[in-house]
Amino acid sequence: MAPEPRHRQWSYVVERHVPFESFDRLTLEDPAFTEAAEAFNAGLVELGAAPLPIVSAPDALATEAGGIWVGTSGAPSALTVVNALPEPACEQGFRLFVSEDWAIVAGEGPAGAAYGLAALLALIDSAAGTIPAVGMSDWPSVDLRAVYLDELPSQAQIDELAALRLNAVVCRDGRLFGLDNPETAGEIAAVVAACRARHIEVIPLLDLISRADVLLQREPAMAEGIDVEHLFEAVAGQLIPAEPWQASAPPFANLLISPAAPFSVWMGETLCVPAEDYLPPPPASFPFSGETVEVATLPGGAISEGERVLARYTAALSGTRDACTSEPLWQAAAQETVSEIVTLMQPRYLHIGLDPFEAFAADSRCRQRGLDNADLLAEAVMLLDAAAKSADADTRLMAWGDALDPFREGNPFGLAAAITGLPRDLVVCVRNFRSPEEDDDAMAALTHFSEAGLAVAGVPDASADSAAFWSATVAGIAGETALIYAASLYDPSDPWATLSAFAEAAWAARPLPPQQAPPPLGPPEEEHTVPLGSLTLAGLAAVCATLGFLLLRTRRDDALAEKPERGLTD
């Protein structure tokens, strides 16, 4: 996949194609480009050509015959040629120039150089063994172009993402909670290193509040629950309901027991003593199935046969997967998990999930604090943000927008108002199970979060049309822009069918027809061209000298001209 570049021109007055065998080495301005050069050589092998020797030569002239020079556009030896091409708008951009005897790939940064080499590879006609003599300038429309995965990527997936110019992967992997195991920590560190070598960010996704399965497996008492207070009667050594049962959970089922959520039995105003008056019940295990446990009275204890007592406890509803953010055990575990992940992976972004809630702030651990639901959620997110920034001050949180979106899931628990108390650098990932042109709520959500001063990332559905629409929409937002391909959440049967279309749309967003275009969410993107009038006299002289050099040189010396041309597959 090679999107049409923003700018492309012939290097000579007439169309010209150069035998690729004219090039005999890759000259690197900096050893940091070695990974990109090796990926280029791997591509040559796939085309049936021999890999080129890789030479690290910081002071080499970019226009030395036979060389493909790879570096940054700031290098003096590259400026003469590439400055005549439009300047890329970001560090992921590149300019390349192919002449008869040499080629230049000048990235605005290391990622740009890698993308430029990939673009050069895509120009090669393997059947003819030639490459067009062209000048190109290109850069992405969307800054962060991510793919969501249910696990850390394999090397094959890393290679595919790099080939598609995707530069981030959002990973929801249970191993992220297992850093106390040195082997697991080593596996994760190796994946992060492999991704960074291909200019791909790894964004760990930790489900810490909603759908917090891993944390709840470790300590079920961290789950959201309901308060139960009911009269029981001692019958044949067991406590059984003395009145009709009306609570949502069955008697003594899904018990959540912790210092903040104690199990207690009362005789009037007297607190019964566990292990003396009754046998303490075991806490529930996760997942919560609704299985009941028995609470037995003990011989010689205060609870006599037929005695009525009041039991007070916290119980999870069957199927609950959400955490209680007021539970001190959760606060400690969540902060520790975040700190460990950020310390090991040093991610630029940390995704904290926030899928729609099944329950929120339903028991006394939250209610007794006197905060409303929005304040409780904002407090929890701020706690996670503080833990991340204590490990690395530059880490930013990401979250799905579902629970915060007043047009979708925010209303049932009143959580939409939480946005005023969230970290100001939070990135809200707006996803919709229909594409925006079919649902105005998605556009309303983008506008809502943007106007609140929060950064937004778009999450298209599994269709190519949705990817194109979201790309064009997000590309018009001021500041850093982001898209996440999460088709596996929409269509698990064939999640990768439109990955290439998404990648192309995210790199080269095209304006939409007027009837489909979304309202602007920020100032229009500036034109990134280099008007002739902006060049200095020295710059104009350099451009003219280069063009004259290219137009007047001979096509090939006689010896080279007599050599038979070979295709790359010969």
Side-chain angles (χ1 to χ4, degrees):
M1 189 279 301
E4 187 64 24
R6 293 174 184 263
H7 177 84
R8 174 171 169 161
Q9 66 186 49
W10 291 105
S11 302
Y12 299 89
V13 174
V14 295
E15 177 178 339
R16 191 170 298 182
H17 295 264
V18 180
F20 190 74
E21 65 177 11
S22 304
F23 306 105
D24 57 19
R25 67 189 179 279
L26 288 166
T27 304
L28 309 185
E29 176 201 10
D30 191 306
F33 303 129
T34 300
E35 290 282 350
E38 290 176 347
F40 179 85
N41 273 341
L44 290 180
V45 172
E46 290 182 4
L47 294 176
L52 299 179
I54 299 174
V55 180
S56 181
D59 299 324
L61 183 65
T63 54
E64 287 182 356
I68 298 176
W69 183 91
V70 183
T72 57
S73 58
S77 59
L79 284 176
T80 300
V81 175
V82 301
N83 267 8
L85 298 169
E87 181 181 0
C90 65
E91 289 192 354
Q92 297 181 55
F94 64 87
R95 287 175 278 192
L96 67 82
F97 194 94
V98 180
S99 79
E100 286 193 318
D101 293 314
W102 43 264
I104 290 177
V105 176
E108 296 302 294
Y115 296 144
L117 268 177
L120 184 70
L121 181 69
L123 290 174
I124 298 173
D125 183 341
S126 59
T130 61
I131 186 169
V134 295
M136 286 174 51
S137 179
D138 203 8
W139 62 94
S141 298
V142 177
D143 301 307
L144 190 76
R145 304 171 302 283
V147 170
Y148 166 84
L149 295 175
D150 284 320
E151 58 185 1
L152 292 166
S154 65
Q155 186 60 55
Q157 289 173 320
I158 293 171
D159 293 341
E160 181 179 5
L161 296 177
L164 293 172
R165 300 186 196 174
L166 298 170
N167 65 343
V169 56
V170 179
C171 300
R172 174 186 264 144
D173 193 312
R175 287 177 291 175
L176 297 172
F177 291 85
L179 300 191
D180 52 343
N181 183 326
E183 183 177 349
T184 300
E187 291 174 356
I188 294 172
V191 171
V192 171
C195 286
R196 285 181 176 159
R198 303 302 301 276
H199 308 287
I200 297 171
E201 295 186 49
V202 180
I203 302 174
L205 192 157
L206 302 175
D207 289 304
L208 296 168
I209 306 178
S210 62
R211 304 191 182 182
D213 296 9
V214 178
L215 287 184
L216 299 186
Q217 285 171 353
R218 293 182 177 181
E219 178 48 76
M222 292 190 276
E224 188 64 69
I226 59 171
D227 294 325
V228 177
E229 184 173 301
H230 197 82
L231 280 175
F232 288 82
E233 184 177 347
V235 178
Q238 301 291 330
L239 294 183
I240 64 171
E243 296 177 349
W245 189 260
Q246 296 181 350
S248 302
F252 300 141
N254 302 336
L255 298 180
L256 306 177
I257 302 176
S258 74
F263 180 94
S264 62
V265 178
W266 297 78
M267 294 179 60
E269 295 184 359
T270 301
L271 178 63
C272 296
V273 180
E276 291 184 13
D277 299 327
Y278 64 92
L279 188 65
S285 59
F286 182 85
F288 304 112
S289 64
E291 182 180 357
T292 62
V293 297
E294 295 181 345
V295 179
T297 59
L298 294 177
I303 306 174
S304 304
E305 182 73 9
E307 190 82 46
R308 287 196 169 194
V309 296
L310 182 69
R312 293 173 178 161
Y313 59 88
T314 304
L317 297 178
S318 296
T320 293
R321 302 170 62 191
D322 302 323
C324 174
T325 60
S326 294
E327 169 59 60
L329 294 176
W330 176 85
Q331 295 171 358
Q335 291 181 90
E336 180 181 8
T337 301
V338 167
S339 180
E340 289 178 347
I341 279 292
V342 174
T343 299
L344 174 69
M345 301 178 67
Q346 298 182 326
R348 194 157 65 105
Y349 297 98
L350 170 65
H351 203 302
I352 60 170
L354 283 192
D355 283 282
F357 289 90
E358 299 167 353
F360 191 85
D363 66 62
S364 58
R365 288 174 294 179
C366 287
R367 295 206 314 270
Q368 68 185 2
R369 300 183 57 208
L371 300 175
D372 63 25
N373 288 357
D375 288 339
L376 287 167
L377 179 60
E379 176 192 64
V381 175
M382 290 298 291
L383 180 142
L384 300 178
D385 185 65
K389 286 183 168 54
S390 68
D392 186 335
D394 295 327
T395 300
R396 297 176 64 181
L397 297 189
M398 278 185 168
W400 302 126
D402 306 36
L404 301 167
D405 187 345
F407 308 101
R408 284 197 61 198
E409 304 289 349
N411 288 330
F413 300 109
L415 300 175
I419 63 171
T420 59
L422 297 176
R424 291 297 89 193
D425 61 352
L426 176 72
V427 180
V428 181
C429 304
V430 179
R431 57 182 180 176
N432 226 23
F433 292 93
R434 291 176 290 174
S435 48
E437 64 268 30
E438 297 171 349
D439 192 343
D440 291 339
D441 286 352
M443 284 305 306
L446 285 173
T447 304
H448 172 72
F449 292 122
S450 295
E451 290 180 348
L454 298 175
V456 293
V459 187
D461 69 15
S463 71
D465 288 343
S466 178
F469 186 95
W470 281 81
S471 297
T473 302
V474 170
I477 298 175
E480 186 173 24
T481 53
L483 282 175
I484 301 174
Y485 182 82
S488 60
L489 299 176
Y490 300 110
D491 183 15
S493 62
D494 189 9
W496 311 117
T498 54
L499 179 60
S500 293
F502 168 85
E504 183 169 2
W507 178 273
R510 300 294 183 241
L512 295 167
Q515 66 273 17
Q516 295 182 12
L521 298 177
E525 184 178 356
E526 296 180 0
E527 291 293 331
H528 298 286
T529 58
V530 182
L532 189 62
S534 68
L535 291 174
T536 63
L537 291 176
L540 284 171
V543 171
C544 292
T546 301
L547 292 175
F549 170 72
L550 294 173
L551 292 172
L552 296 176
R553 67 179 297 116
T554 58
R555 288 185 55 85
R556 312 293 299 164
D557 62 4
D558 293 341
L560 185 59
E562 293 176 359
K563 291 174 61 177
E565 293 189 0
R566 294 186 295 110
L568 291 179
T569 56
D570 292 346

